[in-house]
Amino acid sequence: MRPGHPHLKSLPSDRPDLWTGEEEQPGEPAWEEPIPLSRRRELPAFPTAALPGWLRDYVDAVAEETQTPVDLAACVALAVLATAAGGRSVVHVRGGWREPTNLFVVVALPPANRKSAVFAAVTGPLYEAEQRLRDARRAEIVEAQLTARLAQSAADKAAAKAAAASGEQRDVLVEEAVGLAQAAEAVTIPAEPQLLADDSTAETVSSLMAEQGGRISVMSAEGGIFDIIAGRYSGAPNMEPFLKGHAGDRLRVNRQSRREYIERPALTMGLSVQPQVLDDIARVRGFDGRGFLARFLYSVPASLVGRRKVVTEPVPEAVAAAYRSKVIDLTLTLADWTDPAVLQLSPEADAALIACQERIEPQLAPRGALGHITKWAGKLAGAVARIAALLHLAEHLEGGHTRPVSEATMQAAITIGQYFTAHALAAFDAMGADPTVDRAHSLLDVLRTHGWREVTRRDLFATLSRSEFPTVADLEPAVQLLAEHGWLREELPARTGRRGRPPAPRYVLHPSLSEDGR
């Protein structure tokens, strides 16, 4: 609870204290039950009403059949849209601000939540679209391979002929061999189209993006990709392809065997992990400092295990068919775009996004609601614009780039952004992003151990660990948080003289923390 919403109420003096059973002293406020620091945030369910009808129907149906939180299917579905559109479209917000349409999405769910079944159901059409792209490209690949072999054969024969010649004839033949070798090297064999990759190393991801015209998607029902990025095989974290793949910044890779240059990389990640993984990745050196964790949209739904129906309704055939055909159509329609399709915002949509930004900005202040996750929240408006573009393309499968994103679509994206904000706060809580909460827990443990009824700030500070509370200034935010949760009250004694050090503040502690209040 924020300052200005105290936990204390004044009760009539003839009412006994609710905790000690003693008569309350006149004018002394009663204690309410304190709010636990570790109380789980009340998290909203994914707002499926914000999705286009065909997508909403499928997400709801998959969640019902698999008896999984709707959040899982919905978040994977957003990653599917991003896989289809990423690297092939951008949204122009205003001025020089453009956002690509790829996303990083991660859902945290415990084991036995049928994550693999949901991933298979939602990503299935992408694999079919990938196969269709391969079939369409097969003849071109075969022709290019044959041309390359013939060109190389001609170059080899010319080189052998030049090597056997002498005098002026040799010079002519060498020149001819060099030209044929250059022509052979210039033959490009198109890569076999690929949309999806499993858990991949940074090197594999960058190579795939280079081969696939700048885009690739990593979709997995496990969290092994985080171990790989952290350096399971290389011994050191390598985040560069992932950081630039999210932002769309130019990526250059120089290796002994090859050089790769990607003008507009577009990497999508759709992952599901166990909740413990969030805590683990927060401890990986460099993940937070480089802003890697700030690029993900987090979902931390409550597990339905123990509350699931045994007999469920299968996904209706018509709903599944509509989802399959529309995902495939969107993927194939955008596949051949070399320069990305540019989506524009309507004036009303831009105004809605500006209003959203104006609501977010004050919360980024150090004491704001998002002040401890500014790296993530600073990217929220961009994420909302990306989601709006994806919803727009899903709504307008043909010619979506020819019409502007509407205000209604932007408002739907803002609603989804609010969902991800609530879940990001919970996710970063799990990752220990707010040191004040950790210190408040430590302080509460000390207060319980000593069993004081009241204590001065000076005496309290003297008992605390200097490694966690180096200065009194480090103590104050934790004290304020405990006061907001109703664990203590701060009193400032009146000065008795004009000289000398002012009296230290005194803390009156909740009766449940003292020995005689237990």
Side-chain angles (χ1 to χ4, degrees):
M1 190 170 291
R2 297 283 171 196
H5 298 276
H7 294 277
L8 307 178
K9 296 180 181 179
S10 295
L11 300 175
S13 58
D14 60 347
R15 179 172 178 176
D17 184 88
L18 300 178
W19 281 93
T20 65
E22 300 171 355
E23 290 291 323
E24 184 180 307
Q25 297 300 317
E28 185 177 312
W31 289 97
E32 289 187 341
E33 184 174 355
I35 299 174
L37 291 174
S38 58
R39 186 177 69 177
R40 178 182 171 88
R41 296 175 184 271
E42 294 297 326
L43 297 177
F46 190 98
T48 56
L51 300 174
W54 64 270
L55 190 56
R56 176 180 63 247
D57 291 345
Y58 187 70
V59 163
D60 287 338
V62 168
E64 164 62 23
E65 180 178 346
T66 59
Q67 287 295 287
T68 53
V70 72
D71 314 59
L72 178 58
C75 289
V76 177
L78 283 180
V80 166
L81 295 180
T83 300
R88 300 298 183 263
S89 63
V90 297
V91 56
H92 176 230
V93 182
R94 70 184 79 97
W97 181 12
R98 290 188 175 191
E99 288 285 342
T101 53
N102 52 300
L103 296 175
F104 283 14
V105 185
V106 59
V107 183
L109 269 173
N113 268 278
R114 300 168 179 164
K115 298 186 286 289
S116 295
V118 173
F119 264 80
V122 181
T123 63
L126 287 178
Y127 288 97
E128 186 172 346
E130 182 180 86
Q131 187 58 52
R132 291 193 186 187
L133 290 172
R134 289 179 177 178
D135 293 341
R137 187 72 62 85
R138 183 171 291 115
E140 180 184 351
I141 293 174
V142 170
E143 181 180 354
Q145 288 172 337
L146 178 59
T147 301
R149 285 200 299 269
L150 293 174
Q152 187 61 53
S153 177
D156 291 342
K157 290 178 180 178
K161 190 175 181 181
S166 60
E168 293 182 0
Q169 186 182 14
R170 176 186 175 87
D171 293 339
V172 173
L173 293 176
V174 166
E175 184 177 352
E176 180 182 348
V178 169
L180 289 172
Q182 290 175 337
E185 188 175 345
V187 176
T188 301
I189 300 176
E192 192 174 65
Q194 184 174 349
L195 298 174
L196 298 149
D198 294 328
D199 291 352
S200 303
T201 65
E203 292 74 18
T204 303
V205 165
S206 61
S207 293
L208 285 172
M209 285 193 292
E211 292 174 358
Q212 301 299 322
R215 70 158 172 182
I216 198 66
S217 178
V218 177
M219 304 281 280
S220 175
E222 303 296 336
I225 184 67
F226 290 116
D227 290 335
I228 295 172
I229 299 171
R232 176 199 292 174
Y233 302 116
S234 62
N238 184 0
M239 292 173 280
E240 203 69 14
F242 299 91
L243 297 175
K244 292 187 175 181
H246 178 273
D249 296 335
R250 291 184 184 90
L251 177 62
R252 292 180 184 269
V253 179
N254 295 316
R255 301 178 189 162
Q256 293 181 348
S257 59
R258 62 188 298 181
R259 292 184 178 182
E260 297 166 343
Y261 174 69
I262 309 171
E263 177 70 22
R264 288 183 295 268
L267 174 63
T268 288
M269 297 183 74
L271 309 173
S272 181
V273 302
Q274 295 184 22
Q276 178 60 39
V277 173
L278 294 182
D279 183 62
D280 293 341
I281 63 176
R283 302 175 190 277
V284 177
R285 184 176 181 181
F287 269 21
D288 186 42
R290 296 288 302 280
F292 178 67
L293 300 180
R295 284 164 165 75
F296 281 89
L297 298 173
Y298 295 91
S299 175
V300 222
S303 171
L304 297 183
V305 173
R307 298 178 286 133
R308 297 176 294 191
K309 293 188 293 185
V310 175
V311 180
T312 62
E313 291 292 329
V315 177
E317 291 185 7
V319 171
Y323 175 77
R324 171 183 165 275
S325 65
K326 291 182 183 299
V327 169
I328 292 174
D329 288 348
L330 178 62
T331 305
L332 299 182
T333 298
L334 294 172
D336 292 332
W337 283 78
T338 52
D339 292 329
V342 180
L343 308 180
Q344 303 288 342
L345 302 184
S346 68
E348 297 79 10
D350 187 33
L353 183 58
I354 290 173
C356 174
Q357 291 177 268
E358 290 175 342
R359 290 193 296 270
I360 293 171
E361 187 62 27
Q363 300 180 61
L364 303 181
R367 297 188 63 79
L370 305 176
H372 61 296
I373 57 169
T374 52
K375 291 178 184 177
W376 184 91
K379 300 180 186 299
L380 178 55
V384 167
R386 295 185 187 204
I387 293 170
L390 294 174
L391 298 180
H392 175 79
L393 290 171
E395 190 71 41
H396 306 286
L397 294 173
E398 295 184 5
H401 65 287
T402 65
R403 61 182 74 189
V405 177
S406 69
E407 179 184 10
T409 299
M410 182 59 72
Q411 292 292 1
I414 290 170
T415 298
I416 295 174
Q418 292 169 338
Y419 162 85
F420 280 123
T421 300
H423 283 251
L425 287 168
F428 281 101
D429 277 355
M431 292 187 281
D434 192 348
T436 298
V437 175
D438 291 339
R439 287 174 176 161
H441 276 290
S442 297
L443 182 55
L444 195 57
D445 289 340
V446 170
L447 296 178
R448 285 195 176 104
T449 299
H450 285 78
W452 292 310
R453 291 295 301 268
E454 59 183 60
V455 62
T456 66
R457 182 176 66 188
R458 189 175 297 120
D459 291 341
L460 175 59
F461 182 68
T463 66
L464 299 174
S465 166
R466 289 296 166 270
S467 63
E468 190 168 14
F469 296 91
T471 68
V472 172
D474 298 305
L475 170 63
E476 290 304 313
V479 167
Q480 183 176 3
L481 184 61
L482 291 182
E484 292 172 8
H485 282 68
W487 289 102
L488 57 81
R489 306 170 187 163
E490 183 176 4
E491 295 184 357
L492 297 175
R495 296 191 61 162
T496 56
R498 296 183 178 180
R499 295 184 178 181
R501 180 184 299 178
R506 185 170 61 96
Y507 305 122
V508 180
L509 309 180
H510 194 282
S512 65
L513 296 175
S514 62
E515 293 180 357
D516 57 352
R518 295 179 182 176

